[in-house]
Amino acid sequence: MDETLPTEQRGAVVGQGQMLGGTNCPGIAVETFAMPPGMSIRYDQPANDLADYITGYHVYCADTRHRGQVDWFLPGAASIRIAIDAEPFSVSIARRTFDPVPQVSLFGPTSHALRAVTNSGILIGFGISALGWSRLIDQPAAAFRDRVAPLATAVAGDFGPRLYAALQATDREGQVAPVLDALLREQLTPLHHPRGAACAQRDDALVRQLMAFIARDGSIEIGHIAATLGLEPHALRRLAVRHFGFPPKLLVRRARFLRSFLRILGPGHTIDYGKLDQSYFDLPHFLRDANTFLGTTPRRFLARSTPFLDASLRARAAVLGAPTQALHDIDAPKPGQRKGAASMARDPLYFGGDGHTPVPSPVTNAPAAQGSAGA
C-alpha cells in the first residue's frame, strides 16, 4: 500500500484500483485477511435488520498478475454478485459452464464444487438465506440450482442496474456494506415483491426451523424433521425445493459433508480422517459424499488451486461465524457487533475501508480476479 496517498484515497474499490481487504466487524486480526501478493479479500456483516435474509457481504479482488487464475469453491447457498471493472470470467458447475458470467448475476444454490477461471477485476457479492429468497425472488430456488444467470432473469425491475451503479460509484471498500444495506433494505420491502412477501410470510416459521435443523451438528432423520415441522414428507420436500433449491435429504447430506470436510482439514491442506462426523458409517461412506459434492476425493480437491477458498473459509468464519454459507446459522451469535458508518470511520479496529489499518499483501494500483466462495 502506498502510505503517501491521502487517507481518503486509500482502500478504493474502484477508480484507484486499490483494495486492502478487511471487515466492518471489530476486533478481528488483520492477518485473518492476508493473501498472496496481488489478491485481497473482504467480508462484512449486514445490518442487524437484514441479517435474517442476507448472510453476509464479500469482496474479492486480484490484479492482472493473476489472469487465467483457476479457483475451486465448495457448494453452497444462493448469492448475488456484481463484477466491477472486471475482465470476462467463467464459472463451471459439474458439467455446465457459464461463460462469460454476467456483470450482475445470480449464483443459484449448488450441490457441486464450483470452478472459476478469472482474469482480473473486483467481485462484490452477498449471500441470500432461505428466508431471504422469496423476499427477493418470485421463482422457486430450484429453478436456479447449479446455475449462474443474469440477475434480471430472476429479479424484475431495475434492482440489478441500481446495484451496479451504486457500487461502481463507491470509491472506498468500507462503503460497500452501507451501500448494500440501503439498497437491500428497500428491495426487501413487500412493495417490490408482494407475491414473494406473501409466500415468505406464510412459510417463514417453517423455513426458519428447517434452517436450524440443517445447521445442527450430528445425524438428522428427515422423518424427524417433518414430524417436528408438522408436515407430511411431500410438503417438507416442496418447502425445501421452493426456498432452498434442493430436497431436504440432499440439504442435510451437503451440510453433514461440509462439516466433516472442514473438520478433517488441517494446516497445509493436511487431512485427519479421525475427525469425521460420527454419523458416517465409515470412510468409504464419506468418500461417496465427497464424490457427490466435490466430484473427487478430498485430497485431490485440496491439491487444486484454492487461494480464495482458503482465505474465504478463514475470513468468513471470523466475521460471520461460519466458514461457509451452506453452514450459516442465522440464529447463532455473530462475532463482534456492527457499528454505524460514523463510528467505523474513527475506529482503528476497522480496516481496509475508512479505518485504513493496513492488511498484509495489499493490492495496489491495479484492476482486480473474481472469486466465489460466498457470503
Side-chain angles (χ1 to χ4, degrees):
M1 172 178 167
D2 185 355
E3 292 291 350
T4 64
L5 284 174
T7 298
E8 65 273 10
Q9 292 184 14
R10 299 178 196 162
V13 166
V14 293
Q16 293 282 338
Q18 299 173 350
M19 165 108 178
L20 299 178
T23 184
N24 62 2
C25 181
I28 298 177
V30 295
E31 291 79 10
T32 304
F33 304 88
M35 291 202 73
M39 296 180 176
S40 55
I41 191 170
R42 180 180 184 89
Y43 269 85
D44 289 324
Q45 294 179 357
N48 291 337
D49 61 312
L50 301 175
D52 278 0
Y53 315 113
I54 304 302
T55 58
Y57 304 139
H58 57 273
V59 186
Y60 297 155
C61 173
D63 67 19
T64 53
R65 286 172 286 182
H66 298 281
R67 284 196 176 109
Q69 171 77 29
V70 176
D71 285 278
W72 286 86
F73 302 94
L74 299 174
S79 60
I80 290 173
R81 295 190 167 108
I82 306 94
I84 302 291
D85 291 348
E87 296 185 23
F89 69 105
S90 67
V91 161
S92 299
I93 305 171
R95 297 180 180 179
R96 302 183 67 182
T97 296
F98 304 90
D99 185 12
V101 172
Q103 191 171 58
V104 182
S105 55
L106 172 65
F107 282 57
T110 53
S111 59
H112 302 281
L114 181 151
R115 179 181 185 266
V117 181
T118 60
N119 294 295
S120 83
I122 295 170
L123 193 71
I124 301 174
F126 53 91
I128 307 169
S129 76
L131 283 172
W133 179 273
S134 290
R135 284 175 166 78
L136 284 172
I137 299 164
D138 288 339
Q139 302 175 57
F144 294 94
R145 63 189 177 196
D146 292 322
R147 284 182 57 200
V148 177
L151 183 61
T153 64
V155 180
D158 64 349
F159 182 51
R162 285 191 294 116
L163 277 173
Y164 181 81
L167 292 169
Q168 178 70 61
T170 299
D171 64 354
R172 288 190 299 276
E173 63 188 87
Q175 297 173 348
V176 167
V179 166
L180 289 175
D181 282 347
L183 288 166
L184 285 163
R185 189 173 288 116
E186 178 185 356
Q187 190 69 19
L188 285 163
T189 61
L191 178 65
H192 282 276
H193 294 287
R195 186 173 62 180
C199 174
Q201 186 175 17
R202 182 184 68 243
D203 293 342
D204 264 4
L206 296 172
V207 170
R208 183 180 288 275
Q209 289 182 78
L210 182 52
M211 290 173 70
F213 272 114
I214 293 168
R216 183 180 301 175
D217 203 351
S219 180
I220 306 170
E221 296 294 332
I222 301 303
H224 174 66
I225 297 176
T228 303
L229 271 59
L231 296 174
E232 294 294 330
H234 68 274
L236 174 62
R237 179 186 175 89
R238 185 165 59 244
L239 179 83
V241 168
R242 172 69 180 85
H243 296 277
F244 296 80
F246 297 103
K249 184 176 181 179
L250 189 141
L251 295 170
V252 169
R253 281 183 63 206
R254 184 182 68 181
R256 179 182 63 176
F257 169 75
L258 290 172
R259 274 193 298 269
S260 283
F261 177 74
L262 296 172
R263 190 173 291 155
I264 67 175
L265 182 59
H269 284 185
T270 57
I271 292 177
D272 182 359
Y273 284 120
K275 296 180 180 179
L276 274 182
D277 191 307
Q278 293 184 354
S279 63
Y280 279 108
F281 300 124
D282 50 25
L283 181 56
H285 185 194
F286 172 74
L287 293 177
R288 284 194 295 274
D289 271 359
N291 189 61
T292 296
F293 296 113
L294 301 181
T296 187
T297 67
R299 290 189 190 281
R300 289 174 179 168
F301 181 81
L302 292 171
R304 296 170 174 173
S305 176
T306 59
F308 273 107
L309 173 61
D310 295 344
S312 177
L313 294 175
R314 182 177 64 244
R316 196 190 191 286
V319 175
L320 302 175
T324 183
Q325 190 187 356
L327 301 178
H328 189 87
D329 184 353
I330 64 170
D331 293 320
K334 299 299 182 291
Q337 182 178 356
R338 265 291 295 271
K339 295 187 177 184
S343 62
M344 183 177 72
R346 298 189 297 271
D347 194 334
L349 290 173
Y350 292 90
F351 49 95
D354 294 327
H356 306 303
T357 304
V359 172
S361 302
V363 173
T364 57
N365 297 322
Q370 304 83 350
S372 159

